[in-house]
Amino acid sequence: MRIDMNDLSAFVAVAQAKGFREASRASGMSPSSLSEAVRRLETRLGTRLFHRTTRSVAPTEAGARLLDRLAPALTEVFASLDTVSALGDAPSGTLRLNVPVNVARLILPGIVTPFLALHPRIRLEVTAETDLVDIVAAGCDAGIRYEERLAQDMIAIPIGPRRQRFATAAAPAYLDRMGRPRHPRELLDHACLGSGSANGVAHAWTFEREGELVKIDPSGPLVVRSGAAFDLAVDAAIAGLGVISIFEDWLRPHLDSGALEPILEPWWQEFSGPFLYFSGSRLVPAPLRAFIDFIKGERDIR
């Protein structure tokens, strides 16, 4: 059975956009052209692919099954074409990344600007969120996460600093008033500016020194539920509201200026840096390949 690839692409566009007008805006094809393409495909297959009403468009059971198999296949086809075209031309297209908030704030700024300057035909879309997501289901080309959160079937490449630390600090005025803790457990008597996940689970603070591991559950007047809100906690710490524990790079400007004073530094826990990861079961699109090569080149320079 011969079926036009454009008709298949039109079907996927309508199914993913959940409507002909919405698919038109995303694909650049007119609603009438999309409708005609879907009609041709239904005729060739001998089955209806969409339930259509004046208010909604939804795949039939046959349409849903076709979409499940066809969408990944078309992604592979277009990635293959991108890979071939990139051999003779500068890489172009959209690169979609899903990253933690701290990576978007602390690591990507030093990478994104020179990368896009080197590849002006690439458009970068970055989604920053704390929770781990299925990058394939989310329509992302790659993600950035830390080692303990990487799935086993992903290819991972180091990006950014290879060692990082959590730093603990407070405003000098607060420490003058409340005292300077000499052991992590003394933080239980301090106002701590904590953080937690979106589902309400509080993050414990972990300290380590000479093989001794100490975890405490911080308690205090402020808890932030998203990495994007860490700046609020930092401002509160500078204002003297309490003790904060966060990525050292996030606090470094304030530690250097004296606005915050480091405490318990011998106990600061060190951990490995983040990784760029992507599915090993699909061809690498040209924009992602260019990003990987750029990261590897940056690492070689260091």
Side-chain angles (χ1 to χ4, degrees):
M1 181 185 298
R2 282 191 163 188
I3 294 179
D4 192 320
M5 183 71 74
N6 291 327
D7 291 351
L8 294 173
S9 297
F11 162 74
V12 171
V14 173
Q16 291 181 334
K18 297 181 174 60
F20 288 91
R21 292 190 181 279
E22 294 79 2
S24 174
R25 286 192 287 269
S27 67
M29 297 177 62
S30 67
S32 59
S33 297
L34 289 167
S35 179
E36 182 60 32
V38 170
R39 195 173 294 114
R40 281 195 304 268
L41 183 59
E42 289 178 326
T43 300
R44 295 288 292 177
L45 295 176
T47 186
R48 181 177 291 278
L49 298 175
F50 289 109
H51 296 296
R52 301 173 178 84
T53 71
T54 56
R55 294 184 177 180
S56 65
V57 174
T60 61
E61 182 180 358
R65 289 185 178 183
L66 179 60
L67 179 64
D68 287 343
R69 300 292 296 273
L70 185 58
L74 284 181
T75 298
E76 292 298 314
V77 169
F78 293 137
S80 300
L81 295 175
D82 284 343
T83 301
V84 172
S85 65
L87 295 176
D89 299 318
S92 63
T94 300
L95 171 60
R96 297 177 176 88
L97 300 179
N98 186 287
V99 309
V101 172
N102 72 288
V103 168
R105 190 183 191 280
L106 303 175
I107 295 174
L108 285 187
I111 295 174
V112 166
T113 299
F115 170 72
L116 292 179
L118 184 63
H119 298 288
R121 295 174 60 185
I122 291 179
R123 179 173 182 263
L124 180 63
E125 292 183 5
V126 177
T127 300
E129 55 187 324
T130 302
D131 294 334
L132 186 64
V133 301
D134 182 336
I135 56 172
V136 176
C140 295
D141 300 292
I144 299 177
R145 287 298 186 277
Y146 287 83
E147 190 171 9
E148 71 277 4
R149 306 196 71 188
L150 296 178
Q152 293 296 318
D153 60 345
M154 291 289 170
I155 297 175
I157 297 172
I159 183 172
R162 298 327 307 141
R163 304 301 299 175
Q164 292 182 273
R165 292 194 301 177
F166 283 117
T168 307
Y174 170 87
L175 296 173
D176 290 341
R177 185 173 72 252
M178 301 299 297
R180 288 164 173 79
R182 292 170 294 179
H183 191 280
R185 292 192 184 91
E186 294 180 22
L187 291 174
L188 296 174
D189 297 324
H190 284 260
C192 296
L193 310 177
S195 63
S197 61
N199 60 12
V201 177
H203 294 156
W205 289 1
T206 303
F207 300 87
E208 187 173 7
R209 183 183 184 184
E210 298 176 354
E212 182 182 0
L213 190 68
V214 178
K215 288 188 176 183
I216 69 163
D217 294 320
S219 177
L222 177 65
V223 177
V224 295
R225 297 292 183 197
S226 168
F230 277 147
D231 279 328
L232 175 62
V234 173
D235 289 343
I238 293 172
L241 193 61
V243 178
I244 189 169
S245 185
I246 194 177
F247 291 91
E248 180 181 3
D249 291 340
W250 207 310
L251 294 184
R252 179 48 55 192
H254 309 297
L255 295 173
D256 291 343
S257 70
L260 290 175
E261 179 181 327
I263 56 176
L264 300 171
E265 188 166 359
W267 289 88
W268 290 0
Q269 188 179 41
E270 190 176 87
F271 53 94
S272 62
F275 290 81
L276 175 78
Y277 70 97
F278 52 96
S279 173
S281 63
R282 52 187 295 189
L283 292 171
V284 178
L288 177 56
R289 170 53 58 193
F291 192 65
I292 292 169
D293 291 342
F294 182 83
I295 291 170
K296 288 182 175 179
E298 288 283 294
R299 195 166 68 245
D300 291 342
I301 291 173
R302 294 194 186 97

